[in-house]
Coordinates of all heavy atoms in Angstrom, one line a residue:
R140 N 91.8 87.5 101.9 CA 92.2 88.1 100.6 C 92.8 89.5 101.0 O 92.1 90.3 101.7 CB 91.0 88.3 99.7 CG 90.4 86.9 99.3 CD 89.3 87.0 98.3 NE 88.7 85.7 98.1 CZ 87.5 85.5 97.4 NH1 86.8 86.5 96.9 NH2 87.0 84.3 97.3
D198 N 80.0 88.1 86.0 CA 81.2 87.8 85.3 C 81.9 86.8 86.2 O 81.8 86.8 87.4 CB 82.0 89.0 85.2 CG 83.2 88.9 84.3 OD1 83.0 88.3 83.2 OD2 84.3 89.3 84.6
E209 N 75.5 86.1 90.7 CA 75.7 86.7 92.0 C 74.4 86.9 92.6 O 73.4 87.2 91.9 CB 76.5 88.0 91.8 CG 77.9 87.8 91.4 CD 78.6 89.2 91.2 OE1 77.9 90.2 91.1 OE2 79.8 89.1 91.0
E283 N 77.0 92.3 97.1 CA 77.1 90.9 96.7 C 77.2 90.0 98.0 O 78.2 90.1 98.7 CB 78.3 90.7 95.8 CG 78.4 89.2 95.3 CD 79.8 88.9 94.7 OE1 80.4 89.8 94.1 OE2 80.2 87.7 94.9
G285 N 76.6 86.6 97.8 CA 76.9 85.2 97.4 C 77.1 85.1 95.9 O 76.8 86.0 95.1
Q286 N 77.7 83.9 95.5 CA 77.9 83.7 94.1 C 77.9 82.2 93.8 O 78.5 81.4 94.6 CB 79.1 84.4 93.6 CG 79.3 84.3 92.1 CD 80.3 85.3 91.5 OE1 81.1 85.9 92.3 NE2 80.3 85.5 90.2
F288 N 78.8 79.2 90.8 CA 79.6 79.0 89.5 C 79.4 77.6 89.0 O 79.5 76.6 89.8 CB 81.1 79.1 89.7 CG 81.6 80.5 90.2 CD1 81.7 80.7 91.6 CD2 81.9 81.5 89.3 CE1 82.1 81.9 92.0 CE2 82.4 82.7 89.8 CZ 82.5 82.9 91.2
Ligands
LIG2 MG1 81.8 86.9 93.7

Side-chain angles (χ1 to χ4, degrees):
R140 294 183 189 170
D198 192 48
E209 286 175 352
E283 182 194 328
Q286 186 162 14
F288 300 89

